[in-house]
Each structure stands twice: as C-alpha cells, then as structure tokens.
C-alpha cells in the first residue's frame, strides 16, 4: 500500500493536470487539428509568463493556415510581452504574403514596436493613398502659391499618390515631410517658369519636374504620382513689389532730403552763433582800447600826440609843475 503523502501528491498532480486539461484542451485541440502544434504544457507555461495563450494560438493558427509556418512561438510571446500587437502583426504578414510583398517577422515586429501601424502600412503599400497638398487640416491656406518669373502669382492644389516604403518605415520621414517637400517642389517649379502662361499651358511639366527631384528620399513613402488638381491665376506680385519698392525709394529720398535740410538749419544756427561770438570778441577788443590808451599815457608812448593836442591850452598848465614841463617839451629837446 502506498504511503499517504504519495497518494496526496498523486491527487494534487492529477487535479492540476485535470485543471490544465479542462482549461487548455480546446486551444490545444484547435492547434492540433490546424497544424499549429503548440503543446498543452506550453500553453500552461504561457499563462505563467503572463502571456495570453488564446491570442498566441489564434495568431499561430492564422499564420499556419496562410502558409507562414516559420514564425516561432517564442517570437510571438516576446512580441506580446514587449507590448506589441501580435494579432495585427500576424494579419500584416498574411496580407504582405498574399500581395507578394517581401516582409519578414523581424522587420514587421520592429515596425510594430516603433509605434507604427504595420497592418495599415501594408494596406497602403497594396492600395496607394492619396494625399492633398497642402493639407487643409494642417495648413492655414488651401492652395500652394508660387510666382512665375513675370511676377504673376499662381495658386495650385495638388494630389499626391503614395504607397508605403516598408524598408524605410523605420526611421523614415512621415507624411508631413512628404507634403512639405512636394509643396516646396511645386513652388520652385512655378518659379522656374518664364511666364505664368507656360504653367497654364502644360501643368504636367510642373509634376514631371517635381517627380524628378526624388522628394521621397529617406521617407516612409514612395511617391507614385503628383497630379495638379486645380490651378488659378492670382495677383500680380511683381507689380506690387515694384510699387512697394518705389514707395520705399520715395521715403528714402524724403528722409535724405529732410536730413540735408536739418543739416542746413543746424549749419545756419552754427553760423549765427559764430557771428555772435565774433561780435562779442569785437566788444571785448574795443573794451581793451581805453585801458591800452591809459597804459600808453603812463608809459610815455603818446607824448607827441599829447603835445599837439595840449599846445592851445598851454596857458592853463602851471609852468612850475615838473610833470607838465615834461609833457610840454618838444621831441628831442
């Protein structure tokens, strides 16, 4: 007779096996009849690893039924644990396989973990997408405005047909970059036209010139075609610029004239100040004359002139004053 502890152990193991069989038998049977070949114990371990075994089994069955049987179950589990969408990833691989697009599990998993919708990318690669340029939801205006060499403005609406470039989807520029590049190319192509009539005559010339620039380089999309949906004639930008330039020249000339007038007024005021300064110097010089005459009297430099002036009045001078005698003496006496 078996020991009691061994009987209990067998009962516990049996209960666990029955529970596993009860919970995972339908999934195992689904995989068995479809060729997925995922073991019953492996499904139990998925639950222990916090992986949904139902999703893994469903993806594995879809892949095998679609003829893609080289995807390991461990890779699906790792993608699920990393936060990827294994179901959409499997659907994308099936769609790519049906469309003849070369896409392996590693590339698709990297695209999915990068935050891109890999299934939508495959669908756009199969069914190209039409982008309006400019995008009315992003841009403030609904036309691309370019100016030809003759100064006439052209307003253009463009439809860009793109498909996904799966090889550049990781790290490639997004749709916004494609729209910006196409808009830049359209404006540049219009600017290279000699007259606006050239663009109106052959709008496809603009499309061909833009396509030749390879604007889809390093982007997640490949440009299939660029079509001019609408083209309108705008204002005469060249004439407006010439008018603005003429007005600016007038303002510059007026400013220069005002500068010369202000300099003339300032020079006139300087001359007036200089005149007043010179008059003040004259007054100062005239004020020094009496002092100089007095100094000349004291130094004896004006004796001859005084004699001539004082001779008629000699009788009024006392002869006894030696100073008067000195003044009355003739020069050389």
């Amino acid at each position: 007779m078996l020991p009691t502890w061994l009987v209990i152990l067998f009962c516990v193991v049996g209960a666990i096996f029955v529970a596993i069989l009860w919970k995972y038998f339908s999934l195992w049977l689904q995989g068995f009849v479809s060729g997925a070949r995922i073991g019953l114990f492996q499904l139990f371990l998925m639950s222990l690893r916090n992986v949904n075994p139902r999703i893994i089994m469903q993806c594995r069955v879809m892949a095998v039924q679609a003829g893609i049987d080289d995807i390991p179950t461990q890779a699906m589990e790792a993608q699920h644990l990393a936060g990827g969408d294994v179901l959409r990833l499997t659907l994308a691989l099936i769609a790519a396989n049906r469309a003849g697009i070369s896409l392996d599990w590693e590339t698709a998993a990297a695209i999915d973990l990068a935050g891109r919708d890999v299934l939508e990318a495959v669908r756009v690669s199969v069914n190209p997408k039409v982008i309006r340029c400019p995008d009315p939801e992003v841009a403030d205006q609904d036309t691309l405005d370019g100016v030809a060499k003759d100064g006439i403005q052209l307003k253009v609406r463009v439809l860009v047909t793109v498909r996904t470039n799966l090889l550049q989807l990781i790290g490639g520029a997004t749709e916004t970059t494609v729209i910006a590049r196409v808009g830049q190319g359209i404006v540049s192509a219009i600017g290279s036209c000699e007259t606006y009539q050239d663009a109106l005559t052959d709008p496809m010339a603009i499309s061909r010139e833009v396509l030749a620039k390879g604007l889809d380089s390093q982007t997640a999309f490949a440009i299939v075609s660029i079509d001019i949906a609408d083209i309108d004639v705008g204002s005469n930008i060249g004439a407006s610029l010439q008018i603005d330039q003429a007005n600016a020249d007038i303002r510059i000339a007026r400013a220069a004239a005002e500068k010369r007038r202000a300099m003339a007024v300032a020079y006139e005021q300087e001359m007036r100040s200089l005149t007043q300064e010179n008059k003040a110097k004259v007054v100062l010089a005239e004020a020094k004359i009496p002092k100089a005459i007095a100094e000349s009297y004291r130094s004896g430099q004006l004796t001859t002139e005084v004699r001539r002036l004082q001779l008629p009045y000699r009788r009024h001078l006392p002869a006894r004053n030696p100073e008067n005698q000195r003044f009355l003496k003739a020069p050389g006496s």
Side-chain angles (χ1 to χ4, degrees), residues 24-50:
Y24 300 105
F25 179 75
S26 60
L27 287 178
W28 174 82
L29 184 60
Q30 179 185 0
F32 179 79
V33 298
S34 61
R37 305 298 182 183
I38 299 179
L40 188 63
F41 188 69
Q42 191 175 359
L43 294 174
F44 171 69
L45 294 179
M46 288 182 189
S47 298
L48 295 181
R49 289 192 291 265
N50 198 21

Side-chain angles (χ1 to χ4, degrees), residues 136-159:
E137 297 180 357
V138 178
D140 297 333
Q141 56 185 12
D142 59 348
T143 59
L144 295 172
D145 300 340
V147 181
K149 292 183 179 180
D150 58 353
I152 304 299
Q153 182 187 46
L154 294 177
K155 298 178 178 292
V156 181
R157 296 180 182 88
V158 182
L159 297 179

Side-chain angles (χ1 to χ4, degrees), residues 24 27 32 44 92 121-122 129 162 167 217 220 259 278 289 329:
Y24 300 105
L27 287 178
F32 179 79
F44 171 69
V122 172
K129 178 181 179 181
V162 297
L167 298 178
S217 176
K259 179 181 179 180
N278 291 333
I289 293 176
K329 289 180 181 181

Side-chain angles (χ1 to χ4, degrees), residues 132-273:
R132 296 183 61 185
C133 184
D135 190 354
E137 297 180 357
V138 178
D140 297 333
Q141 56 185 12
D142 59 348
T143 59
L144 295 172
D145 300 340
V147 181
K149 292 183 179 180
D150 58 353
I152 304 299
Q153 182 187 46
L154 294 177
K155 298 178 178 292
V156 181
R157 296 180 182 88
V158 182
L159 297 179
V160 184
T161 304
V162 297
R163 60 181 179 84
T164 305
N165 186 358
L166 296 175
L167 298 178
Q168 292 290 337
L169 195 58
I170 301 176
T174 59
E175 180 179 326
T176 305
T177 303
V178 175
I179 294 175
R181 289 183 180 181
V182 171
Q184 179 182 359
I186 292 294
V187 173
S188 177
I190 293 175
S192 63
C193 296
E194 294 295 333
T195 64
Y196 75 98
Q197 295 177 352
D198 296 340
L200 293 177
T201 303
D202 187 13
M204 289 301 297
I206 299 176
S207 301
R208 289 191 297 268
E209 183 175 349
V210 175
L211 281 173
K213 294 181 178 180
L215 301 179
D216 53 0
S217 176
Q218 299 299 322
T219 64
F221 299 94
I223 298 178
V224 178
S225 66
I226 298 177
D227 303 307
I228 305 297
D230 188 16
I231 182 169
D232 297 326
V233 179
S235 58
N236 193 336
I237 301 297
S240 300
L241 293 176
Q242 291 178 359
I243 292 173
D244 293 340
Q245 183 62 45
N247 293 330
D249 293 340
I250 292 174
R251 289 193 294 269
I252 293 173
R254 287 178 178 174
E258 181 64 22
K259 179 181 179 180
R260 290 194 297 270
R261 188 192 69 80
M263 293 180 62
V265 172
Y267 185 74
E268 181 183 1
Q269 295 298 325
E270 290 179 0
M271 292 298 102
R272 289 182 179 179
S273 300

